[in-house]
Amino acid sequence: MVSRWFLTVALMGLLTALGTAQTEPYKLNPGDQIHILVVDEPDLSGEVTIGPDGFIRLPLIGSLQATGLTVDELAAQIEKALRQYIREPKVIVNLKQFTPLARRVYVMGAVKAPGAYPLPLAGPTTVFDAIMLAGGFTENADWERVRVFRRDGQMQTVNLRNVQAGDLTGGGIVQPGDVVWVPPAYIQITIVGAVPKSGAIVVPTRATLLDVLGTAGGVTDPSATVRIFRSGVEMLSVPWTKLVAGEIPSFPLQEGDTILVSVKDVSGVVVTGMVQRPGMFNLVGKVTLLGVLAMAGAPLTEGRPMRVRVLRQGQEILQVRLDTATNAPAMNELAMELQSGDIVAVEPLTVRVTLLGAVQKPGAYELPINSRIMDLLAQAGGLQPNANLFNVSVNRKGEVLTLNLARLWEGEMEQNLELQDGDLVLVPASQRIWVTGAVQRPGSFDYRPDMTVLDAISLAGGPRSLEEADLSAVRIVSGDTARTVNLEAAFRTGAVSVEPIRPGDILIVPERAKAYVFGAVARPGAIGVRTGDTVLTLISNAGGPLPDANLSDVVLVRIVKEKPTVTKLNLAEAIQKGRLDQSPPVQPGDVLYVGRKRRGSGWEDFARIIGLANSVALLTYYLGR
């Protein structure tokens, strides 16, 4: 009763101390939504979301880093940037919505509701506070060895029993991204051999070897030797008589240890397959199948499906499946005694693979045997848009295999590697972008966090020409999605374009649809065609007619159903009398011929012009197919 009263008083003191702690201002994170008010400048005001790179993008200013600043610090930065455009600007920044993902703390282990919890905005949060967010300790929690794993890789062990003694620090302050682990106050030990109660038992964390043997009912043969195995490695071997005589120092036990109480020799038992220490074992005492699996380091406590086979004199005498649903008959089979020369084969029914990098759900996956890379990616929800398919690596027992998954779409199925147990697959995030199409230097370029579409096209030397490149329909391909942006105004008028791109994006600057102008024009050749262009527009884009151009003698050739059709036009009447039928719309692939003024021009000249235009049109049509 006194201890409970004391704990209540201590907790009240802790809450009082934290309530009077100075409130730390919130610092902005990626994904936060903020409202920016520039006084008397409504066009510069509005709501902005901080991008994944930590920057915001504003009119006049461009990119500005916001992550790590308070709203007042960001307002000061915006005012400083606006002073070159506005006299004495006044800026107010308000936080509209913060991103809880950026302020999460992870609480795991012996707590009532393990998971990820957003940290409160007001005031610091202690380790004890974080555990209270997760519902508090469970009954078997170890208060004295709470571990905090920091984002910078550091680990700290704290004793929260001190809170009961009046310590108001609560184990120190946690930061966003920290992991708080509350270990259980009990550990599970496996004991086999010459004891009345073999199998897995649960004991207190500080239990001694004699405590465990007592829980198992003691030792049935005084001549027994007690051996402790940890992850397949023998940690201790001591005669039972010396142990009970107190001649052996205390040995701390750990979760997953195996205790073998042996009384006779069994030599030459071979263990192969999915174990940490495959090989031949010369054992002492009554050795069961469960005991030898534990000594060889088989993952008995992971609940992983395995098939265990026992071979004796070349014949299979036992086969048993081990998984989380292992039943009583299976446990009886694991208690079978082994003989000299037995072979124990441990075969996985699944492969456990770790997938990291630019995928939707990185982590550890358990897949059926014979699974392949694409099966793993499907389980992970697919790739992120910035995934670099050209350089996927598989770390397999120290050997690194490199795959080009892009070749899978070209039919190279050997790139779809079959997975093995323990593989580590890394899909790197590309830090490059690709620019292709009607640019000066198509290729790949280094990505910068604040890069825009205009930056990327500039790295590629810019468009080959404003007439040839269709800047109104630039395509941005991100993974399996694509969007179209119009950059025509940015290039022709100098308007600012801040369309962002991400690592791995592919920019395609398409060529304009083309028609062809020949004859008496300033720049004969291929001319880009846009919707609504007419014959007069086409001639204008070709530099206009020459002084000796005969605008009443213009020939338009168009391929219709693989056959050329010829139309004679009088552009003089279109210009002087507004006859639109003499300047019809043009289409990609059209060929226009503008004749010259000549004396005595007649049917022969007209036939020659039509023949020339037909030949050019047919050549253009068939070469462009």
Side-chain angles (χ1 to χ4, degrees), residues 140-426:
N140 69 328
D142 186 349
W143 288 49
E144 299 180 4
R145 295 185 300 164
V146 177
R147 295 178 182 177
V148 182
F149 298 89
R150 306 290 186 182
R151 291 182 63 180
D152 59 3
Q154 301 295 317
M155 190 274 289
Q156 177 186 2
T157 301
V158 297
N159 183 354
L160 293 182
R161 290 287 184 196
N162 297 331
V163 174
Q164 295 175 303
D167 181 7
L168 301 182
T169 63
I173 306 302
V174 295
Q175 302 295 333
D178 285 353
V179 176
V180 178
W181 168 256
V182 180
Y186 298 92
I187 57 176
Q188 180 172 292
I189 302 292
T190 301
I191 185 167
V192 293
V195 293
K197 301 176 183 178
S198 62
I201 59 175
V202 176
V203 296
T205 303
R206 300 183 183 278
T208 66
L209 181 55
L210 284 175
D211 294 333
V212 177
L213 292 169
T215 303
V219 174
T220 59
D221 190 330
S223 66
T225 299
V226 180
R227 307 168 70 187
I228 300 176
F229 292 85
R230 182 172 297 161
S231 300
V233 178
E234 184 173 341
M235 307 298 296
L236 179 69
S237 178
V238 55
W240 164 249
T241 54
K242 290 187 176 182
L243 184 64
V244 294
E247 300 179 13
I248 306 300
S250 177
F251 184 84
L253 298 173
Q254 294 185 11
E255 176 78 17
D257 282 354
T258 297
I259 300 174
L260 173 63
V261 181
S262 54
V263 294
K264 63 178 182 179
D265 292 339
V266 176
S267 61
V269 174
V270 177
V271 184
T272 65
M274 195 179 71
V275 294
Q276 295 184 31
R277 293 181 60 233
M280 180 177 292
F281 290 82
N282 294 318
L283 307 174
V284 178
K286 176 184 176 183
V287 181
T288 64
L289 176 57
L290 178 61
V292 79
L293 289 175
M295 286 183 284
L300 299 175
T301 60
E302 297 185 13
R304 188 175 183 191
M306 298 182 295
R307 180 175 61 189
V308 179
R309 298 189 302 144
V310 179
L311 307 177
R312 182 170 294 166
Q313 297 179 354
Q315 300 294 321
E316 181 179 295
I317 64 170
L318 177 68
Q319 183 178 132
V320 59
R321 176 188 171 98
L322 298 181
D323 56 23
T324 53
T326 300
N327 50 27
M331 294 304 296
N332 291 334
E333 291 175 326
L334 291 175
M336 183 189 76
E337 292 188 40
L338 296 178
Q339 298 179 9
S340 298
D342 284 352
I343 298 175
V344 179
V346 183
E347 301 167 347
L349 297 177
T350 60
V351 292
R352 183 170 293 174
V353 181
T354 301
L355 176 62
L356 301 175
V359 295
Q360 299 296 339
K361 295 182 291 185
Y365 289 88
E366 196 162 306
L367 302 169
I369 55 174
N370 302 321
S371 295
R372 296 182 177 273
I373 287 286
M374 297 307 293
D375 300 318
L376 176 62
L377 294 177
Q379 287 287 324
L383 300 165
Q384 292 183 357
N386 64 332
N388 183 358
L389 298 181
F390 303 95
N391 194 29
V392 176
S393 63
V394 180
N395 191 315
R396 176 172 293 171
K397 298 178 181 178
E399 179 185 4
V400 178
L401 309 174
T402 302
L403 302 176
N404 184 347
L405 297 187
R407 293 180 180 174
L408 279 176
W409 283 265
E410 301 174 5
E412 293 189 18
M413 299 310 297
E414 60 269 19
Q415 300 294 325
N416 193 16
L417 186 69
E418 183 175 331
L419 298 169
Q420 294 184 12
D421 192 65
D423 281 353
L424 171 62
V425 180
L426 175 62

Side-chain angles (χ1 to χ4, degrees), residues 514-518 555-560 562-566 588-593 609-625:
K514 296 178 180 179
Y516 302 86
V517 183
F518 298 97
V555 175
L556 175 65
V557 182
R558 177 173 298 164
I559 303 297
V560 179
E562 301 187 10
K563 294 183 180 180
T565 61
V566 180
D590 284 354
V591 176
L592 193 68
Y593 186 87
I609 292 170
I610 292 177
L612 173 62
N614 282 351
S615 300
V616 173
L618 285 172
L619 179 62
T620 302
Y621 175 77
Y622 285 110
L623 288 178
R625 296 186 67 183

Side-chain angles (χ1 to χ4, degrees), residues 426-458:
L426 175 62
V427 181
S430 175
Q431 292 301 315
R432 297 183 70 80
I433 52 95
W434 287 263
V435 184
T436 186
V439 292
Q440 301 285 350
R441 297 187 301 274
S444 64
F445 304 92
D446 289 330
Y447 172 79
R448 297 194 307 269
D450 57 348
M451 181 175 284
T452 66
V453 175
L454 282 181
D455 296 330
I457 294 177
S458 299

Side-chain angles (χ1 to χ4, degrees), residues 430-510:
S430 175
Q431 292 301 315
R432 297 183 70 80
I433 52 95
W434 287 263
V435 184
T436 186
V439 292
Q440 301 285 350
R441 297 187 301 274
S444 64
F445 304 92
D446 289 330
Y447 172 79
R448 297 194 307 269
D450 57 348
M451 181 175 284
T452 66
V453 175
L454 282 181
D455 296 330
I457 294 177
S458 299
L459 289 176
R464 288 202 291 262
S465 71
L466 296 182
E467 290 74 22
E468 185 174 356
D470 187 1
L471 298 171
S472 66
V474 176
R475 299 276 288 173
I476 305 175
V477 181
S478 297
D480 54 358
T481 63
R483 66 187 191 276
T484 302
V485 296
N486 187 345
L487 299 181
E488 214 162 36
F491 275 87
R492 294 187 180 277
T493 67
V496 177
S497 174
V498 292
E499 183 72 27
I501 57 175
R502 296 179 294 183
D505 280 358
I506 301 173
L507 276 66
I508 304 173
V509 181

